[in-house]
Amino acid sequence: MRIHLIACQVFCRELSAAIAQSPNIVAVSWMPQGLHEFPGKLREALQAEIDRVEGQIAAGALKFPPDVIALGYGLCSNGTAGLIARTRPLVVPRTDDCIALFLGSQERYMEYFTQYPGTYWFNGGWLENALLPTPDRYAAMRAEYAALYGEDNADFLMESGVGWGWIKNYRTCGYISSTCYENPAWRQEAAGMAAHCGWELMEVPGSRRLLDALLAGDWGGEFLVCPPGCATRETGLADKLVAVEMPAAQNQNQE
């Protein structure tokens, strides 16, 4: 089977390792990290990439067209709800976000969520690709505010939700170790981040189980397989997403 995978850049190391060991042939479109912060933009970007791949298929531009399009994303603030693939099945993990994928299951993610509420999660992929609350970033943000608004106002802004105030909503820094590569500097940065934010540091072993299943075609109940011509829809329940048939006219309008 041939799979075209559309995935967030934070999965680059883990998915690259999984692809190398997958029994299937996998082509990848890497998407920039951070799109989930604006779910509408994430949905738009993913739909555009799905359309691009299907456009290549329709034009006969691919020597070996994929049998399926898969997403290296969870629900991600509903950013993967409302997507449609017209000629290929669309496979989406039924997880809240990428953290469950790095932990190996939505069930394991929820166990940690219940046991350790107020946990800020990240791993090597996030350290390499995302803006995180490190001491250096704090200093840079404060200096920028001070230059724009003065010292007193800079302190106020940093303590508010505009700056660093959101840190108070978390108690634990959950660092997920990689299943394929560990950089000692990552753990040091995690410890520094936790100390700076006043969080307890918790290291959790990662798992590639769900990513391997995604690439192997083991699409049981932990994945939505959305048939061609159907759209993904968020349920608000444990299953996260379902497939709904699109009216013919609406389907044609998206072409």
Side-chain angles (χ1 to χ4, degrees):
M1 178 168 60
R2 292 180 180 271
I3 299 172
H4 191 102
L5 176 66
I6 304 173
C8 179
Q9 185 69 29
V10 295
F11 288 109
C12 184
R13 290 185 183 273
E14 281 74 16
L15 276 175
S16 294
I19 289 168
Q21 297 177 320
S22 173
N24 296 309
I25 301 170
V26 184
V28 189
S29 296
W30 296 113
M31 307 296 284
Q33 187 279 336
L35 290 173
H36 69 283
E37 296 175 7
F38 306 95
K41 290 185 178 181
L42 172 58
R43 184 181 304 110
E44 182 180 342
L46 291 176
Q47 188 63 63
E49 187 59 20
I50 292 169
D51 292 345
R52 186 190 70 81
V53 173
E54 292 204 306
Q56 288 186 321
I57 296 171
L62 300 177
K63 185 175 182 180
F64 300 107
D67 302 296
V68 65
I69 298 173
L71 298 186
Y73 286 88
L75 182 58
C76 296
S77 302
N78 291 344
T80 57
L83 298 175
I84 180 171
R86 283 171 286 280
T87 65
R88 295 296 188 272
L90 182 64
V91 181
V92 190
R94 282 184 158 128
T95 66
D96 283 318
D97 50 39
C98 68
I99 301 304
L101 290 168
F102 281 122
L103 291 173
S105 73
Q106 175 69 15
E107 181 181 9
R108 188 178 178 213
Y109 180 34
M110 292 309 298
E111 289 174 355
Y112 279 111
F113 181 84
T114 301
Q115 189 173 0
Y116 302 98
T119 298
Y120 186 92
W121 292 97
F122 72 100
N123 68 346
W126 278 77
L127 283 169
E128 290 183 332
N129 295 283
L131 292 174
L132 295 171
T134 61
D136 288 345
R137 188 177 172 217
Y138 178 94
M141 183 180 290
R142 192 197 176 284
E144 181 179 356
Y145 285 156
L148 291 172
Y149 309 112
E151 293 291 337
D152 292 341
N153 288 329
D155 290 333
F156 172 79
L157 289 171
M158 290 304 294
E159 292 300 317
S160 72
V162 176
W164 236 240
W166 61 269
I167 285 176
K168 299 173 184 177
N169 297 327
Y170 296 91
R171 300 198 299 260
T172 306
C173 176
Y175 174 74
I176 305 172
S177 61
S178 176
T179 56
C180 60
Y181 172 75
E182 270 297 313
N183 186 333
W186 291 346
R187 285 187 175 87
Q188 295 175 6
E189 191 165 352
M193 191 185 312
H196 180 70
C197 297
W199 297 336
E200 178 183 355
L201 179 63
M202 174 178 65
E203 183 169 340
V204 176
S207 170
R208 222 176 65 192
R209 187 191 71 86
L210 213 52
L211 296 178
D212 285 339
L214 175 65
L215 298 182
D218 295 336
W219 304 320
E222 293 178 288
F223 298 89
L224 169 66
V225 181
C226 187
C230 292
T232 61
R233 186 177 71 185
E234 189 266 339
T235 66
L237 302 172
D239 59 359
K240 307 301 175 188
L241 292 163
V242 294
V244 293
E245 189 171 350
M246 298 288 290
Q250 187 173 352
N251 199 343
Q252 291 173 0
N253 288 338
Q254 294 203 27
E255 293 181 357

